[in-house]
Amino acid sequence: GEREEPAASARTERVDLVLDYFPNADHAGIYAAIGTGEFSRAGLDVRPRTPSDPSAPLKLLASGRADLAISYEPELLLARDKGARLVSVGALVQKPLTSIISLGERAVREPGGLEGKTVGTAGIPYQDAYLKTIAEKAGIDLSSVRKIDVGFNLVPALLSKRVDAVLGAFWNVEGVELERRNRDPRILRMDEIGVPTYNELIIVAREQDVRSRGPLLRRFLRALARGHEGLRADPGTAVDELVKANPDLERGLQAAQVKATLPVFFPADRDRPFGFHDREDWRAYTRWMRDNELLENPLSSERAFTNEFLPGEGI
Amino acid sequence: MATLTMISLLIVAGLIGAWELYTHVGGVDEFLLPAPSAVAEALVEDRGLLWENFVVTAGEIGLGIGVAVALALACAVALHFSADLRRALYPLLVGSQTIPIPIVAPLLVAWLGFGLAPKLAIVALVCFFPIVVPTIDALARVDADLRKLMRSFGASRWQTFRLVEAPAALPGLFTGAKLSVAFATFAAILAEQSGSENGLGHLVAQAIPQFETARAYAAVLILSAFAVALFGLLALAERRLAPWHRPGGVLAVGERRLPVDPHR
Amino acid sequence: MATLTMISLLIVAGLIGAWELYTHVGGVDEFLLPAPSAVAEALVEDRGLLWENFVVTAGEIGLGIGVAVALALACAVALHFSADLRRALYPLLVGSQTIPIPIVAPLLVAWLGFGLAPKLAIVALVCFFPIVVPTIDALARVDADLRKLMRSFGASRWQTFRLVEAPAALPGLFTGAKLSVAFATFAAILAEQSGSENGLGHLVAQAIPQFETARAYAAVLILSAFAVALFGLLALAERRLAPWHRPGGVLAVGERRLPVDPHR
Amino acid sequence: MQTRIQAPETAPATRIEAGGVRLEGVTKAFPGRRRGADEVIALQGVSLQAAPGETVAVVGPSGCGKTTLLEIACGLIAPDGGTVDAAPAALMAQRDLLLPWAGALDNAGLALRAAGASREEAREEARPLLRDFGLEGFERARPHELSGGMRQRVAFLRTLLSGRPVLCLDEPFGALDAITRHEMQAWLAGALAREPRTVLLVTHDVEEALVLADRVLVLSPRPGHVVATLEVGAPRPRRRTDPELVALRERALQELRA
Amino acid sequence: MQTRIQAPETAPATRIEAGGVRLEGVTKAFPGRRRGADEVIALQGVSLQAAPGETVAVVGPSGCGKTTLLEIACGLIAPDGGTVDAAPAALMAQRDLLLPWAGALDNAGLALRAAGASREEAREEARPLLRDFGLEGFERARPHELSGGMRQRVAFLRTLLSGRPVLCLDEPFGALDAITRHEMQAWLAGALAREPRTVLLVTHDVEEALVLADRVLVLSPRPGHVVATLEVGAPRPRRRTDPELVALRERALQELRA
Ligand SMILES: Nc1ncnc2c1ncn2[C@@H]1O[C@H](COP(=O)(O)OP(=O)(O)OP(=O)(O)O)[C@@H](O)[C@H]1O
Ligand SMILES: Nc1ncnc2c1ncn2[C@@H]1O[C@H](COP(=O)(O)OP(=O)(O)OP(=O)(O)O)[C@@H](O)[C@H]1O
Ligand SMILES: [Mg+2]
Ligand SMILES: [Mg+2]
């Protein structure tokens, strides 16, 4: 039973929310919650902020320059390993979005096809470790795979035909886009080829706020959940809100991406609330990171997240 | 004059034609290199979007250059006056120029927030140095005999600066300002790509992953034109304010003489 | 001299101290701004890694500047000689300076692959312009009377260039070269961040998402020191090769005179 | 009104060819730089003939257009009217215009290099003359290390070495003391006797004009026009105490004063 | 050996104060620029006294150290040995050193501005003198639009207006024709008679030295030292044909020739 918070206090509170990247389809639910007034009804004035790079949100959050940040499960674990006192208070996207994408007749149809190929990566160490795990599972020699760090230029690298595949692009963003543009992409999702599943996007808060600003977090997450429910019920309106706030986004493309992403905005288990973290999944993924020497300290995955503030949880 | 403009237009037309041809037969994906025709189309279709964002970026560039010129002048003068300062700070200045944007961008946000300020800071940081160096060099290259002369007239260090050194270094300042105009555009795009809600740099950053490469090129084209216009304006201002350094050039206007090849 | 070095060291020490203090009491997270002590630690601990990558980046910088200087010189001379070319190409040059790296980087990869070549191209692209502008300006500012004199001696346009204009413009070239040294480092980092397997820019790009900010700062520190050293070398070379423009300065060495404040 | 100007030859012959200078009714005005400012008429209908090998001196008050006349004869500025017909002419400008980065020897050899000589050849040719001019030991001194008179001697030497058939000398000895000046005049007279060249000599020293020139043109104050042409018939070498010269000098000064 | 040099005052009094110049046994050598090159001894034990209001002329062969002597008197370079004791002195350099971006009027007013005058005040004060010097109509002309003699007059005017008690003039009239030169000399003599100032005058024209100076120092060739001091007692205004001047001139030329 969910208890109603007292109606929005007279004074709206401002929440600086640093996104993980430029606004895109992954943030459709956030913009829907803003546009349909869910946040303001909850007494929140949410301001999405674009970061300078995908690792900046956690840094700004840790420095107190933002109230909440969108980040990635592996990033949060890395930051905690380095001593950051940050906690995921909700999962924005339940599943990995990271994938291996290849094109046309040179497509890599299954992990085994990577042997002897050139793979462009975003240069993020834990993603490089995915390749190792994938190679092991597929039984191929990792040293035969040439890795090239292409930074943010994953798709251009693919289109330039200088690499056979890229690891790090999202199946719901670049994958959908390539599909729409008839580039005939072949997509291998991380959790389908041996990498333990994880929450690709999470909502992160400071530990101290978890203790002292619980009600605010709860109101935020409830409004966000409503935004996503609205999105599920009527994707068109949500996409409109996203594009209204970001006129340089293409409506058709965003609609297609939102449609593709819809299933992973919510837990597979219908009984679980929006934003739910699966304890086992987090544990398994943390173990995998430790096994791959990405983390230096023994780390409790339990304390990296909390479901306490999700609608219907905790209290 | 007319024929020159023709030549220059012909060259540009030739380049554009070659580019168009290459996009069709060169085997490069259109999302890597759009055809000029596609860019032109984007220019027309997205004109509203481009204009709105251009206004934002142009503001950042203008303000950024203003800040950079003011700081650079103050700094150049200070370093010119004090050899101690010069020795102590010049290396730091040079070093500061090498700081990569991805490192400073989050810091600037932490200090200055998410608004215009961090963008201004980045533009000013990039533009500052190319003004300081030519200005300091120009100040240092002032004829030492003129300094002696002023000293014999009882001029103070500051008077010598104001009456002799500053005007003599004006061409150096203009060289620096012209450089910084070109760099400001570059810097504004970088700054907007490291976190922003609007501006042409933001547009470029958003356009590329959306495969709207033609739009990104259109944005760059607009900024290039803007930079060229600013550069041209500065060159004009230079000719009006500091014409004396080309006695064979501008001042000979109207006087028939054999060509002595000064730049106009 | 000794006291000056002392002052400069003291300033640097003071800055570092303030920074250290700020990281402890300023409320900025160590991921945003590591303490100097942490950076020093990273310098020592990661020295092997840093050195290996430094060698790569230093090579890119050195070669890139070389390419830029050669191209810029050729270009400046060509534009100096032909007013038509200047009118036609100068705006294109200015425009070229505004092209954002994220747009060219993928194209360069498509054309040149992932090796050294695209990095050289980016470094050269960024460094080219700050050499061209001061050099062209310096060539244009050569005393018109000297050109007249040479013409009366029957000198060809090229002889006038070689014997008079080129040496007279040398200081301008040095101004440009000094600028480009600072920009080369900046450009090399940018280039490596858009596709590379090693180099300090790569290291920085790797360190940032790993929250190894201290290591990133250590890498930048090394590059800054490198840039300062290159800048200093160029300033030295300028003093040896183009000393005539500071008659009150260098040439007065050993001659006791009252201070006339030329820059050394 | 026809204006003919010799285009400067790109590769002048090293052998000095005979060549005269002929200016007819040359007029030159400089426009007022700012709108509404009066134009300055520097020369008004000046004619001048110098046959190959002749020396013609020009005297006149400051600002009357002497320098302008020489630049026109050298083809460096175009007259507004009149005819110019001159063999290639080297200019020794009123300002010394030495290259600040080159030593005295290399400055002296500049015109030779413009005529195609290598650095070494130019140095070889200039070195003995530098010695003649009292500059031994200063071969490598930069202009700012030379005194005013030393700089002028280097500039003079440079022009002499140019190998052009006509020399236009603008106050070549103005910065020299009386003694050095007489030595240089004697040197020049000797050099011209051995190897005749056409010389246009602008000077403020009427005696100098009379000692060196075959003909002396006296110009009026601005706008400059010829008020007197004095033919100097006295045999060379001349002494300034020659009665003919003394008489001519009086006439010239009288014309100047008028 | 004591070296005293007046620090240039930052704000000289506009009222001209009496002030003399006293150099004792001044020596100055310029080191050879390159390793192993000989040093150039410019001055060797030169003494010079100018009481307040006196004019002292210095003549000597080219390169003997006259310019160096003036710069030492102005406190612009330090001597290697000897004593310097001089009131604040303004220099008129041998090169005109006009500011290329300023018009004639602003160039003439530069020293006034260095003394604290506003641009307008400086122009007001310079304008009538510019007219006296035959430069009316050229107030706004930039240096490269002026003839050599015109530039020299502007530089002379600038120094005069400096309001410093001592004037060091380095060949102030070298680029002027005989007539203009005499006019300027007369003007200077008149100005000094009305408002006495201490003047050190370097010139190549011995007559000029004798007409203007109370004392004439004759320097030897480099290394420069004083070979003769001629006291000129003739009353002013002087004419160059005065028998005393003619006699002194002969003596000076004889010393120079030696
Ligand atoms: N480039 C120029 N622009 C404008 N006016 C000029 C220019 N050159 C010369 N004049 C003017 O033309 C006139 C003649 O100048 P010129 O230099 O020929 O005189 P000059 O006879 O050589 O005098 P001086 O003996 O003083 O050197 C002067 O009034 C001068 O102001
Ligand atoms: N800055 C300097 N560096 C080296 N040598 C110098 C410097 N200034 C002057 N000299 C030398 O000192 C000597 C005297 O020079 P100075 O200019 O005083 O001569 P001057 O008497 O004024 O000659 P002039 O009548 O030709 O102007 C010259 O031999 C000159 O080469
Ligand atoms: Mg003249
Ligand atoms: Mg001198």
Side-chain angles (χ1 to χ4, degrees):
Chain A
E2 197 176 322
R3 206 186 59 183
E4 278 296 316
E5 288 287 329
S9 52
R11 194 173 55 90
T12 56
E13 273 180 88
R14 177 159 145 196
V15 176
D16 277 328
L17 168 68
V18 194
L19 305 180
D20 57 300
Y21 193 65
F22 285 99
N24 59 57
D26 297 340
H27 311 125
I30 298 169
Y31 282 96
I34 295 172
T36 58
E38 289 299 345
F39 282 131
S40 50
R41 272 193 290 283
L44 302 174
D45 172 16
V46 175
R47 309 261 178 107
R49 304 293 195 182
T50 310
S52 55
D53 69 274
S55 69
L58 292 187
K59 295 174 183 173
L60 291 172
L61 185 64
S63 290
R65 265 43 177 198
D67 302 297
L68 290 169
I70 311 282
S71 187
Y72 314 86
E73 179 177 333
E75 290 261 358
L76 175 66
L77 293 172
L78 275 172
R80 286 183 59 85
D81 185 47
K82 302 283 177 201
R85 307 176 66 77
L86 302 173
V87 160
S88 173
V89 294
L92 183 65
V93 170
Q94 292 285 334
K95 293 283 175 194
L97 298 172
T98 304
S99 47
I100 293 177
I101 301 183
S102 50
L103 292 184
E105 63 266 31
R106 300 168 65 197
V108 176
R109 304 207 170 273
E110 74 275 308
L114 285 172
E115 188 148 31
K117 294 286 168 62
T118 304
V119 178
T121 71
I124 300 171
Y126 60 79
Q127 293 188 352
D128 293 354
Y130 294 165
L131 207 53
K132 182 163 152 263
T133 301
I134 293 163
E136 274 166 16
K137 289 268 156 66
I140 58 172
D141 178 13
L142 182 63
S143 63
S144 75
V145 182
R146 186 176 170 215
K147 270 187 313 177
I148 289 176
D149 171 7
V150 298
F152 291 126
N153 302 321
L154 289 167
V155 171
L158 202 54
L159 292 176
S160 75
K161 305 196 177 78
R162 293 280 177 173
V163 295
D164 301 299
V166 292
L167 188 161
F170 284 1
W171 52 260
N172 69 326
V173 178
E174 287 89 343
V176 168
E177 179 62 41
L178 286 163
E179 192 73 63
R180 271 171 56 87
R181 301 287 182 176
N182 301 321
R183 288 301 191 275
D184 189 16
R186 174 71 198 167
I187 297 167
L188 302 173
R189 299 191 193 182
M190 287 301 106
D191 47 338
E192 291 171 350
I193 53 176
V195 177
T197 187
Y198 60 93
N199 299 148
E200 187 70 72
L201 294 178
I202 53 180
I203 299 151
V204 186
R206 282 182 296 270
E207 280 183 0
Q208 70 203 63
D209 289 349
V210 166
R211 287 191 295 273
S212 63
R213 295 173 83 186
L216 177 127
L217 292 176
R218 191 163 285 123
R219 275 187 282 143
F220 176 87
L221 285 165
R222 169 139 26 80
L224 188 60
R226 287 194 179 142
H228 278 84
E229 275 148 20
L231 169 78
R232 179 157 56 184
D234 178 10
T237 307
V239 171
D240 285 342
E241 295 300 341
L242 173 67
V243 174
K244 200 167 77 193
N246 301 280
D248 43 10
L249 294 180
E250 289 305 298
R251 201 187 176 288
L253 172 61
Q254 300 306 318
Q257 291 176 348
V258 166
K259 184 162 163 263
T261 319
L262 255 181
V264 291
F265 276 134
F266 296 92
D269 182 349
R270 281 285 194 152
D271 294 337
R272 296 301 186 187
F274 169 82
F276 187 73
H277 307 91
D278 187 287
R279 190 178 310 267
E280 284 312 314
D281 287 352
W282 275 73
R283 188 175 296 151
Y285 188 77
T286 309
R287 192 177 326 113
W288 175 85
M289 280 191 90
R290 280 191 48 69
D291 291 347
N292 284 279
E293 291 168 354
L294 294 163
L295 303 178
E296 287 165 11
N297 305 308
L299 195 70
S300 155
S301 62
E302 305 281 333
R303 297 172 58 188
F305 67 89
T306 170
N307 286 324
E308 184 184 348
F309 304 104
L310 300 178
E313 298 285 321
I315 310 162
Chain B
M1 208 31 225
T3 56
L4 280 176
T5 319
M6 284 300 293
I7 292 174
S8 135
L9 284 179
L10 277 178
I11 291 181
V12 171
L15 285 177
I16 291 179
W19 173 6
E20 180 83 41
L21 200 71
Y22 178 72
T23 54
H24 294 298
V25 303
V28 170
D29 197 288
E30 59 172 312
F31 296 124
L32 283 183
L33 184 69
S37 51
V39 177
E41 219 178 287
L43 266 177
V44 176
E45 254 174 34
D46 300 333
R47 62 186 175 281
L49 196 63
L50 287 167
W51 174 254
E52 261 168 45
N53 286 292
F54 168 70
V55 172
V56 174
T57 307
E60 288 168 15
I61 292 175
L63 276 174
I65 292 179
V67 172
V69 168
L71 286 181
L73 260 185
C75 179
V77 172
L79 294 198
H80 175 66
F81 268 78
S82 159
D84 294 15
L85 262 187
R86 196 159 54 247
R87 255 166 251 210
L89 289 188
Y90 214 176
L92 289 183
L93 272 185
V94 178
S96 79
Q97 202 52 27
T98 62
I99 299 174
I101 304 291
I103 282 214
V104 278
L107 252 187
L108 289 175
V109 168
W111 285 331
L112 304 171
F114 291 94
L116 182 65
K119 274 129 231 163
L120 278 191
I122 289 179
V123 174
L125 179 74
V126 173
C127 294
F128 172 75
F129 193 68
I131 308 178
V132 171
V133 173
T135 306
I136 287 199
D137 280 356
L139 283 171
R141 285 169 195 159
V142 171
D143 190 342
D145 283 348
L146 276 176
R147 284 199 199 98
K148 275 193 191 173
L149 190 78
M150 288 303 282
R151 215 144 56 81
S152 97
F153 293 157
S156 67
R157 189 74 192 72
W158 173 248
Q159 280 174 319
T160 301
F161 174 76
R162 197 164 53 88
L163 296 170
V164 173
E165 293 175 329
L170 202 53
L173 177 63
F174 269 109
T175 295
K178 284 189 291 185
L179 278 176
S180 79
V181 157
F183 278 110
T185 330
F186 183 84
I189 294 184
L190 270 182
E192 287 179 351
Q193 284 178 336
S194 349
S196 63
E197 269 100 68
N198 43 23
L200 286 180
H202 177 85
L203 195 76
V204 169
Q206 285 281 44
I208 291 177
Q210 292 193 89
F211 286 49
E212 298 283 355
T213 321
R215 184 191 289 168
Y217 272 69
V220 170
L221 204 67
I222 290 176
L223 277 183
S224 294
F226 183 59
V228 172
L230 276 184
F231 192 95
L233 271 182
L234 270 179
L236 259 180
E238 179 182 7
R239 235 176 279 160
R240 284 196 66 84
L241 294 175
W244 63 86
H245 62 76
R246 325 195 155 172
V250 178
L251 296 175
V253 168
E255 170 188 344
R256 267 202 292 148
R257 42 164 98 209
L258 306 187
V260 191
D261 289 302
H263 298 174
R264 288 241 24 183
Chain C
M1 212 24 229
T3 57
L4 280 177
T5 319
M6 283 301 291
I7 291 173
S8 138
L9 284 179
L10 276 178
I11 290 181
V12 171
L15 284 176
I16 292 178
W19 173 6
E20 181 83 41
L21 202 71
Y22 178 70
T23 54
H24 294 297
V25 303
V28 169
D29 195 276
E30 59 174 313
F31 297 141
L32 274 183
L33 185 69
S37 51
V39 177
E41 215 172 279
L43 267 178
V44 176
E45 253 174 37
D46 300 333
R47 62 186 173 283
L49 194 65
L50 288 167
W51 174 253
E52 261 169 45
N53 287 292
F54 168 70
V55 172
V56 174
T57 307
E60 289 167 12
I61 293 174
L63 276 174
I65 292 177
V67 171
V69 168
L71 287 180
L73 260 185
C75 179
V77 172
L79 294 196
H80 175 65
F81 268 78
S82 159
D84 295 16
L85 262 187
R86 195 158 55 246
R87 255 166 252 210
L89 290 189
Y90 213 176
L92 290 183
L93 273 185
V94 177
S96 80
Q97 200 51 28
T98 62
I99 299 175
I101 305 291
I103 282 217
V104 279
L107 261 184
L108 289 175
V109 164
W111 288 329
L112 305 171
F114 291 103
L116 182 64
K119 276 128 228 163
L120 279 191
I122 289 178
V123 173
L125 179 73
V126 173
C127 295
F128 172 75
F129 193 68
I131 307 178
V132 170
V133 173
T135 305
I136 287 199
D137 279 356
L139 283 171
R141 285 169 196 160
V142 171
D143 190 343
D145 283 348
L146 276 177
R147 284 201 199 98
K148 276 193 191 174
L149 191 78
M150 287 304 282
R151 216 143 55 80
S152 96
F153 292 158
S156 67
R157 189 76 191 71
W158 173 249
Q159 280 174 319
T160 301
F161 174 76
R162 197 164 52 89
L163 296 171
V164 173
E165 293 176 329
L170 203 54
L173 177 64
F174 269 108
T175 296
K178 284 190 291 185
L179 278 176
S180 79
V181 157
F183 279 111
T185 328
F186 184 84
I189 294 184
L190 270 182
E192 287 180 353
Q193 283 176 338
S194 29
S196 62
E197 281 145 293
N198 43 24
L200 286 180
H202 180 78
L203 196 75
V204 169
Q206 293 263 20
I208 288 177
Q210 286 193 89
F211 301 92
E212 296 279 7
T213 319
R215 184 189 294 163
Y217 270 71
V220 170
L221 203 67
I222 290 177
L223 277 181
S224 294
F226 183 59
V228 172
L230 277 183
F231 192 96
L233 271 181
L234 270 179
L236 259 180
E238 179 182 7
R239 234 176 280 160
R240 285 196 64 83
L241 294 175
W244 64 86
H245 62 76
R246 323 194 156 175
V250 178
L251 297 175
V253 168
E255 169 189 345
R256 265 204 291 147
R257 43 163 96 211
L258 305 187
V260 191
D261 290 302
H263 299 175
R264 289 239 25 182
Chain D
M1 214 181 297
Q2 178 218 2
T3 307
R4 263 177 64 202
I5 297 167
Q6 299 287 117
E9 282 164 23
T10 43
T14 0
R15 188 175 57 83
I16 296 170
E17 289 157 20
V21 175
R22 190 185 186 86
L23 310 185
E24 292 290 355
V26 163
T27 300
K28 176 74 196 174
F30 294 98
R33 204 154 45 83
R34 272 160 269 267
R35 210 187 298 265
D38 290 345
E39 67 172 8
V40 174
I41 302 174
L43 293 171
Q44 203 161 46
V46 172
S47 300
L48 178 159
Q49 277 90 34
E54 267 189 344
T55 298
V56 176
V58 179
V59 301
S62 174
C64 74
K66 303 180 293 296
T67 298
T68 307
L69 192 68
L70 288 196
E71 294 203 346
I72 289 174
C74 289
L76 297 175
I77 54 177
D80 297 333
T83 336
V84 179
D85 192 357
L91 179 68
M92 173 178 172
Q94 206 165 356
R95 284 166 59 201
D96 54 55
L97 288 179
L98 299 183
L99 304 179
W101 57 85
L105 190 59
D106 287 335
N107 262 304
L110 182 67
L112 280 168
R113 302 206 59 198
S118 74
R119 182 195 296 253
E120 276 319 308
E121 287 163 6
R123 287 187 175 169
E124 275 328 297
E125 201 159 339
R127 201 185 301 272
L129 288 169
L130 215 54
R131 205 177 309 129
D132 283 3
F133 287 4
L135 293 168
E136 194 167 10
F138 289 93
E139 284 84 358
R140 301 180 70 183
R142 300 259 167 83
H144 76 275
E145 297 168 304
L146 298 173
S147 79
M150 292 159 99
R151 280 199 295 269
Q152 197 169 46
R153 279 174 276 168
V154 173
F156 175 63
L157 178 48
R158 174 174 69 180
T159 314
L160 273 185
L161 287 174
S162 73
R164 310 273 281 179
V166 181
L167 301 182
C168 292
L169 308 177
D170 201 349
E171 297 200 44
F173 310 128
L176 298 179
D177 62 292
I179 315 296
T180 316
R181 188 173 190 136
H182 291 169
E183 287 169 11
M184 293 298 295
Q185 288 167 0
W187 191 97
L188 177 61
L192 290 176
R194 281 195 307 279
E195 184 177 39
R197 290 165 87 165
T198 314
V199 175
L200 300 192
L201 172 75
V202 165
T203 178
H204 287 315
D205 183 342
V206 177
E207 281 182 357
E208 179 170 284
L210 294 168
V211 167
L212 291 172
D214 297 299
R215 194 175 311 118
V216 178
L217 260 55
V218 182
L219 294 191
S220 70
R222 195 178 44 248
H225 55 269
V226 181
V227 289
T229 306
L230 312 178
E231 298 287 340
V232 191
R236 292 180 164 101
R238 298 177 184 152
R239 310 194 60 232
R240 47 199 69 220
T241 44
D242 276 355
E244 185 189 339
L245 295 201
V246 173
L248 281 172
R249 175 166 180 266
E250 278 320 301
R251 237 196 90 197
L253 287 176
Q254 211 173 327
E255 295 286 354
L256 282 170
R257 245 176 243 120
Chain E
M1 214 183 298
Q2 178 218 359
T3 306
R4 263 176 65 200
I5 297 168
Q6 297 287 118
E9 283 167 20
T10 43
T14 0
R15 190 175 56 83
I16 296 169
E17 288 157 20
V21 176
R22 191 184 185 86
L23 309 186
E24 286 303 343
V26 162
T27 300
K28 176 75 196 174
F30 294 98
R33 204 155 45 83
R34 272 159 269 267
R35 209 186 298 263
D38 290 345
E39 67 171 10
V40 175
I41 302 173
L43 293 171
Q44 202 159 50
V46 173
S47 300
L48 178 159
Q49 276 90 34
E54 265 188 347
T55 298
V56 174
V58 179
V59 300
S62 174
C64 75
K66 302 181 294 296
T67 298
T68 307
L69 191 68
L70 287 197
E71 295 203 347
I72 289 174
C74 289
L76 296 175
I77 54 177
D80 296 334
T83 336
V84 180
D85 192 357
L91 179 68
M92 173 177 172
Q94 205 166 355
R95 284 166 60 200
D96 54 56
L97 288 180
L98 299 183
L99 305 179
W101 57 84
L105 190 59
D106 287 337
N107 262 305
L110 182 67
L112 280 168
R113 302 206 60 197
S118 73
R119 182 195 296 254
E120 276 320 306
E121 288 163 5
R123 286 186 175 172
E124 275 328 295
E125 200 158 340
R127 201 185 300 274
L129 289 169
L130 215 54
R131 204 177 311 129
D132 285 1
F133 286 4
L135 293 168
E136 193 166 12
F138 289 92
E139 284 84 359
R140 302 180 69 183
R142 300 260 167 81
H144 76 275
E145 297 168 302
L146 298 174
S147 79
M150 291 159 99
R151 281 198 295 269
Q152 197 169 46
R153 280 174 275 168
V154 173
F156 175 63
L157 178 48
R158 175 174 68 181
T159 315
L160 274 185
L161 287 174
S162 73
R164 310 273 279 181
V166 181
L167 302 182
C168 292
L169 308 177
D170 201 349
E171 296 200 43
F173 310 128
L176 298 179
D177 62 292
I179 315 295
T180 316
R181 187 173 189 138
H182 290 168
E183 287 168 9
M184 295 297 296
Q185 288 167 0
W187 191 97
L188 177 60
L192 289 176
R194 282 193 307 278
E195 185 178 41
R197 290 164 87 164
T198 314
V199 175
L200 299 191
L201 173 74
V202 164
T203 178
H204 287 316
D205 183 343
V206 177
E207 282 181 358
E208 179 170 285
L210 293 168
V211 167
L212 291 172
D214 298 299
R215 194 175 312 116
V216 177
L217 259 57
V218 182
L219 294 191
S220 70
R222 195 179 43 248
H225 54 268
V226 181
V227 289
T229 305
L230 313 178
E231 299 286 341
V232 192
R236 292 182 163 101
R238 298 179 185 148
R239 310 195 59 233
R240 48 199 68 220
T241 43
D242 278 354
E244 185 189 337
L245 294 201
V246 173
L248 280 172
R249 176 167 178 264
E250 277 320 301
R251 237 197 92 197
L253 287 176
Q254 211 172 328
E255 294 287 354
L256 281 171
R257 243 175 244 121

